[in-house]
């Protein structure tokens, strides 16, 4: 009985550590004036469950690169553009898209898809950067859209 209690206590401590790590990363992302590529990848890949919860933003950027995204050499310091972030969201969440994106999948058309779906409020330009709060808001709206597409 004591052994079971000890195992449960250790599991609880381990899980609370993972949650704390995620909360720290989310707080750091929300505080960013221009969200970095690594943090953007961490947000989206966590939302799509493509990375484990305990993965850090650098690991998320490496995973994004291995999945075919054009991740810069220094993803912790390079801000993500709205076009790249839109492309990451549309592709990783598997959103249903229009014919133009289906023919030419790119950040430009992914951005247009998210504007059309009202996840992004115009005016929106492909090369603009976004804050952590904006990134989180767009991701949450895109996740809502994904739920309605099921």
């Amino acid at each position: 009985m004591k052994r079971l209690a000890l195992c449960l206590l250790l599991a609880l401590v381990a899980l609370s550590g993972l949650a704390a790590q995620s909360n720290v990363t989310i707080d750091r992302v929300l505080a960013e004036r221009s969200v970095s590529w690594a943090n953007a990848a961490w947000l989206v890949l966590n939302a799509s469950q493509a990375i484990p919860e305990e993965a850090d933003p650098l690991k998320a950027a490496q995973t994004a690169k291995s999945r075919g995204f054009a991740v810069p050499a220094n993803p912790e310091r390079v801000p993500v553009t709205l076009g790249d972030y839109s492309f990451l969201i549309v592709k990783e969440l598997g959103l249903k898209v229009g014919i133009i994106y289906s023919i030419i999948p790119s950040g430009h058309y992914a951005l247009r898809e998210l504007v059309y779906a009202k996840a992004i409020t115009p005016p929106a330009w492909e090369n603009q950067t976004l804050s952590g709060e904006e990134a989180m808001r767009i991701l949450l709206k895109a996740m809502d859209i994904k739920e309605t597409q099921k």
Side-chain angles (χ1 to χ4, degrees), residues 19-108:
Q21 178 183 353
S22 293
N23 288 339
V24 168
T25 305
I26 289 171
D27 289 344
R28 188 174 48 236
V29 170
L30 289 173
E32 283 187 308
R33 292 177 58 127
S34 292
V35 69
S36 71
W37 235 107
N39 284 336
W42 184 86
L43 279 175
V44 176
L45 294 177
N46 257 318
S48 68
Q49 299 176 339
I51 57 173
E53 288 184 31
E54 66 272 6
D56 65 347
L58 186 56
K59 175 67 175 160
Q62 292 167 348
T63 301
K65 187 170 188 164
S66 72
R67 293 168 81 92
F69 293 98
V71 179
N74 197 354
E76 310 91 4
R77 298 178 198 248
V78 176
V80 71
T81 65
L82 189 54
D84 287 338
Y85 189 63
S86 299
F87 189 46
L88 195 59
I89 287 174
V90 169
K91 192 170 178 183
E92 286 301 318
L93 293 184
L95 297 177
K96 293 180 182 172
V97 293
I99 192 157
I100 299 296
Y101 177 88
S102 299
I103 295 169
I104 310 169
S106 67
H108 177 79

Side-chain angles (χ1 to χ4, degrees), residues 16 18 23 42 53 60 66-68 72 83 89 93 97-98 102 105 107-108 113-115 121 125 127 129 133 143 149:
S16 67
L18 291 179
N23 288 339
W42 184 86
E53 288 184 31
S66 72
R67 293 168 81 92
I89 287 174
L93 293 184
V97 293
S102 299
H108 177 79
E113 292 290 336
L114 291 178
V115 168
T121 307
W125 294 276
N127 291 326
T129 60
E133 287 182 19
M143 291 171 67
Q149 289 180 344

